[in-house]
Amino acid sequence: MRTRLLLFLLLSGFFAHAQLLEPVKWSYLSKKLKNNEAEVYIKASMAPGWHIYAMQFNEPPMSTSFRFTPSPSYTLIGKVKEPKSVAKYDKNFKKNLYFFEKEVVFTQKIKLLKAKGAVNGVLEFMACNDKSCLPAKEVSFQIPVSR
């Protein structure tokens, strides 16, 4: 009986820890605009207490970034846009850090060159809480678009 209880407690802790290893969920959407243009929306939803960094960093900790796969279906118009981030001084890094909590939506405007297609790419981000950061992670995405 004692062995079963110990096994149960170990497995419960493992599954609770595994859930926290995925504190950020990503979702995607596209919206038609006029003149064969569209916007794609890339949304990050963070678990309570977790955050991801804004795109404006070029040094540690790692900023959120996007790489779009070239396609005959579309061309990018400008760069990815992000809303205003939270700024907070971090004593470990000895500087202000810029990040998003709860949720954030990044937008990218595109010119549609074909009637239908998909915006493909990879995003990279680092999720942190007030105690630690998870290793940087890459996520592939595919967002259907049409005129």
Side-chain angles (χ1 to χ4, degrees):
M1 181 73 162
R2 189 174 191 185
T3 304
R4 286 184 185 170
L5 179 60
L6 181 59
L7 181 61
F8 173 76
L9 291 174
L10 286 173
L11 288 176
S12 296
F14 171 77
F15 288 116
H17 182 68
Q19 287 179 334
L20 289 180
L21 292 180
E22 295 289 337
V24 181
K25 304 291 183 205
W26 294 91
S27 57
Y28 316 95
L29 180 69
S30 67
K31 178 183 174 186
K32 294 181 211 178
L33 302 174
K34 57 184 177 179
N35 301 325
N36 293 329
E37 293 179 356
E39 273 189 328
V40 293
Y41 303 94
I42 302 171
K43 179 180 174 182
S45 300
M46 281 79 57
W50 288 88
H51 60 265
I52 63 172
Y53 292 100
M55 294 172 43
Q56 63 198 53
F57 280 120
N58 290 323
E59 55 188 83
M62 189 184 144
S63 63
T64 300
S65 64
F66 300 88
R67 292 188 313 272
F68 294 91
T69 305
S71 169
S73 301
Y74 69 90
T75 59
L76 300 176
I77 299 174
K79 296 182 179 186
V80 176
K81 293 182 182 173
E82 66 182 345
K84 184 173 170 67
S85 57
V86 172
K88 186 175 180 183
Y89 183 78
D90 187 290
K91 61 184 177 188
N92 297 319
F93 289 100
K94 295 184 173 115
K95 63 180 176 179
N96 279 331
L97 299 181
Y98 299 88
F99 57 88
F100 300 102
E101 300 173 301
K102 297 180 185 172
E103 69 178 35
V104 59
V105 177
F106 299 93
T107 59
Q108 173 65 59
K109 198 169 183 183
I110 61 169
K111 177 78 169 179
L112 297 165
L113 304 175
K114 294 189 175 182
K116 289 186 177 184
V119 175
N120 297 307
V122 175
L123 65 90
E124 192 171 11
F125 70 100
M126 180 181 283
C128 300
N129 61 23
D130 62 346
K131 295 179 181 77
S132 65
C133 292
L134 297 176
K137 186 171 184 179
E138 287 189 349
V139 176
S140 297
F141 59 85
Q142 182 176 35
I143 308 166
V145 292
S146 62
R147 290 185 188 170

